[in-house]
Coordinates of all heavy atoms in Angstrom, one line a residue:
A6 N 7.1 -1.0 -5.4 CA 8.1 -1.0 -6.4 C 8.7 0.4 -6.6 O 8.0 1.4 -6.5 CB 7.4 -1.5 -7.7
L7 N 10.0 0.4 -7.0 CA 10.7 1.7 -7.3 C 10.0 2.3 -8.5 O 9.7 1.7 -9.5 CB 12.1 1.4 -7.5 CG 13.0 1.0 -6.3 CD1 14.4 0.7 -6.8 CD2 12.9 2.0 -5.2
S8 N 9.9 3.6 -8.4 CA 9.3 4.4 -9.5 C 10.0 5.7 -9.6 O 11.0 6.0 -9.0 CB 7.8 4.6 -9.2 OG 7.7 5.5 -8.1
S9 N 9.5 6.6 -10.4 CA 10.0 7.9 -10.6 C 10.0 8.8 -9.4 O 10.6 9.8 -9.3 CB 9.4 8.6 -11.8 OG 8.0 8.7 -11.6
N10 N 9.2 8.3 -8.4 CA 9.2 9.0 -7.1 C 10.5 8.9 -6.4 O 10.8 9.7 -5.6 CB 8.0 8.5 -6.2 CG 6.7 8.8 -6.8 OD1 6.5 9.9 -7.4 ND2 5.7 7.9 -6.6
Q11 N 11.2 7.8 -6.6 CA 12.5 7.6 -6.0 C 13.6 7.8 -7.0 O 14.7 8.3 -6.6 CB 12.6 6.2 -5.4 CG 11.6 5.9 -4.3 CD 10.2 5.5 -4.8 OE1 10.1 4.8 -5.8 NE2 9.2 6.0 -4.1
L12 N 13.4 7.4 -8.2 CA 14.5 7.5 -9.2 C 14.3 8.7 -10.0 O 13.7 8.7 -11.1 CB 14.5 6.2 -10.1 CG 14.6 4.9 -9.3 CD1 14.5 3.7 -10.3 CD2 15.8 4.8 -8.4
N13 N 14.7 9.8 -9.5 CA 14.3 11.1 -10.0 C 15.5 12.1 -10.1 O 15.3 13.3 -9.7 CB 13.1 11.7 -9.3 CG 13.4 11.9 -7.8 OD1 14.5 11.4 -7.3 ND2 12.5 12.5 -7.0
V14 N 16.6 11.6 -10.4 CA 17.8 12.5 -10.5 C 17.7 13.5 -11.6 O 17.0 13.3 -12.6 CB 19.1 11.7 -10.7 CG1 19.1 11.1 -12.1 CG2 20.3 12.5 -10.5
T15 N 18.2 14.7 -11.4 CA 18.2 15.8 -12.4 C 19.6 16.2 -12.6 O 20.5 16.1 -11.7 CB 17.3 17.0 -12.0 OG1 17.8 17.5 -10.8 CG2 15.8 16.5 -11.9
A16 N 19.9 16.8 -13.8 CA 21.2 17.3 -14.1 C 21.2 18.7 -14.7 O 20.1 19.1 -15.2 CB 21.9 16.3 -15.0
N17 N 22.3 19.3 -14.7 CA 22.3 20.7 -15.3 C 22.6 20.7 -16.8 O 22.7 21.7 -17.4 CB 23.4 21.5 -14.6 CG 24.8 21.0 -14.8 OD1 25.0 19.8 -15.0 ND2 25.8 21.8 -14.6
V18 N 22.7 19.5 -17.4 CA 22.9 19.3 -18.8 C 22.0 18.2 -19.3 O 21.6 17.3 -18.5 CB 24.3 19.1 -19.2 CG1 25.2 20.2 -18.9 CG2 24.8 17.8 -18.6
P19 N 21.6 18.2 -20.6 CA 20.8 17.0 -21.1 C 21.6 15.7 -21.0 O 22.8 15.7 -21.1 CB 20.5 17.4 -22.5 CG 20.7 18.9 -22.6 CD 21.8 19.2 -21.6
G20 N 20.9 14.6 -20.8 CA 21.5 13.3 -20.7 C 20.5 12.3 -20.3 O 19.3 12.5 -20.2
T21 N 21.1 11.0 -20.1 CA 20.2 9.9 -19.8 C 20.8 9.2 -18.5 O 21.9 8.8 -18.5 CB 20.3 8.8 -21.0 OG1 19.9 9.5 -22.2 CG2 19.4 7.7 -20.7
P22 N 19.9 9.1 -17.5 CA 20.3 8.4 -16.3 C 20.0 6.9 -16.4 O 19.0 6.5 -17.0 CB 19.4 9.0 -15.2 CG 18.2 9.4 -15.9 CD 18.6 9.7 -17.4
A23 N 20.9 6.0 -15.9 CA 20.6 4.6 -15.8 C 20.7 4.2 -14.4 O 21.8 4.3 -13.7 CB 21.7 3.8 -16.7
Y24 N 19.6 3.7 -13.8 CA 19.5 3.5 -12.4 C 19.8 2.0 -12.1 O 19.5 1.1 -12.9 CB 18.1 3.8 -11.9 CG 17.8 5.3 -12.0 CD1 17.0 5.8 -13.1 CD2 18.2 6.2 -11.0 CE1 16.7 7.1 -13.2 CE2 17.9 7.6 -11.1 CZ 17.1 8.0 -12.2 OH 16.8 9.3 -12.3
A25 N 20.3 1.8 -10.9 CA 20.5 0.4 -10.4 C 20.1 0.5 -8.9 O 20.7 1.3 -8.1 CB 21.9 -0.1 -10.6
P26 N 19.1 -0.3 -8.4 CA 18.3 -1.2 -9.3 C 17.3 -0.4 -10.1 O 17.0 0.8 -9.8 CB 17.6 -2.1 -8.2 CG 17.6 -1.3 -6.9 CD 18.9 -0.5 -7.0
P27 N 16.7 -1.0 -11.2 CA 15.9 -0.2 -12.1 C 14.5 0.0 -11.5 O 14.1 -0.5 -10.5 CB 15.9 -1.0 -13.3 CG 16.1 -2.4 -12.8 CD 17.0 -2.3 -11.6
I28 N 13.7 0.9 -12.3 CA 12.3 1.1 -11.9 C 11.6 -0.3 -11.9 O 11.8 -1.1 -12.8 CB 11.7 2.0 -13.0 CG1 12.2 3.5 -12.7 CG2 10.2 2.0 -12.9 CD1 11.6 4.5 -13.7
G29 N 10.7 -0.4 -11.0 CA 9.9 -1.7 -10.9 C 10.5 -2.7 -9.9 O 9.8 -3.6 -9.5
T30 N 11.7 -2.4 -9.4 CA 12.3 -3.3 -8.4 C 11.7 -3.2 -7.0 O 11.3 -2.1 -6.6 CB 13.8 -3.0 -8.3 OG1 14.4 -3.2 -9.5 CG2 14.5 -4.0 -7.3
V31 N 11.5 -4.3 -6.3 CA 11.0 -4.3 -5.0 C 12.1 -4.6 -4.0 O 12.7 -5.7 -4.1 CB 9.8 -5.3 -4.8 CG1 9.4 -5.4 -3.3 CG2 8.6 -5.0 -5.6
L32 N 12.5 -3.6 -3.2 CA 13.6 -3.8 -2.3 C 13.3 -4.5 -1.0 O 12.1 -4.4 -0.6 CB 14.2 -2.4 -2.0 CG 14.7 -1.5 -3.2 CD1 15.1 -0.1 -2.7 CD2 15.9 -2.2 -3.9
A33 N 14.3 -5.1 -0.4 CA 14.1 -5.7 0.9 C 14.0 -4.6 1.9 O 14.4 -3.5 1.7 CB 15.2 -6.6 1.2
A34 N 13.3 -4.9 3.1 CA 13.2 -4.0 4.1 C 14.6 -3.7 4.7 O 15.5 -4.5 4.7 CB 12.3 -4.5 5.2
G35 N 14.8 -2.4 5.1 CA 16.1 -2.0 5.6 C 16.5 -0.8 4.9 O 15.7 -0.1 4.2
T36 N 17.8 -0.4 5.0 CA 18.4 0.7 4.3 C 19.1 0.2 3.1 O 20.0 -0.6 3.1 CB 19.4 1.4 5.2 OG1 18.7 1.9 6.4 CG2 20.0 2.6 4.5
N37 N 18.6 0.7 1.9 CA 19.2 0.3 0.6 C 19.8 1.5 -0.1 O 19.5 2.6 0.2 CB 18.0 -0.2 -0.3 CG 17.4 -1.5 0.3 OD1 17.7 -2.6 -0.1 ND2 16.4 -1.3 1.2
T38 N 20.8 1.1 -1.0 CA 21.5 2.1 -1.7 C 21.0 2.1 -3.2 O 20.9 1.1 -3.8 CB 23.0 1.9 -1.7 OG1 23.4 2.0 -0.4 CG2 23.7 2.9 -2.5
L39 N 20.6 3.3 -3.7 CA 20.2 3.5 -5.1 C 21.4 4.2 -5.8 O 22.0 5.1 -5.2 CB 19.0 4.3 -5.2 CG 17.7 3.9 -4.4 CD1 16.6 4.8 -4.6 CD2 17.3 2.5 -4.8
S40 N 21.7 3.7 -7.0 CA 22.8 4.4 -7.7 C 22.4 4.7 -9.1 O 21.4 4.2 -9.6 CB 24.0 3.4 -7.8 OG 23.7 2.2 -8.5
V41 N 23.1 5.7 -9.7 CA 22.8 6.1 -11.1 C 24.0 6.4 -11.8 O 25.0 6.9 -11.2 CB 21.9 7.4 -11.0 CG1 22.6 8.6 -10.4 CG2 21.4 7.7 -12.5

């Protein structure tokens, strides 16, 4: 399952990231795209 090991974007200013797919998602095998 996706976790903070993969969904770990940082920014130079304070703020809130919203990931897609979200934490806990199990991706299919292959090359997948994560977005924020």
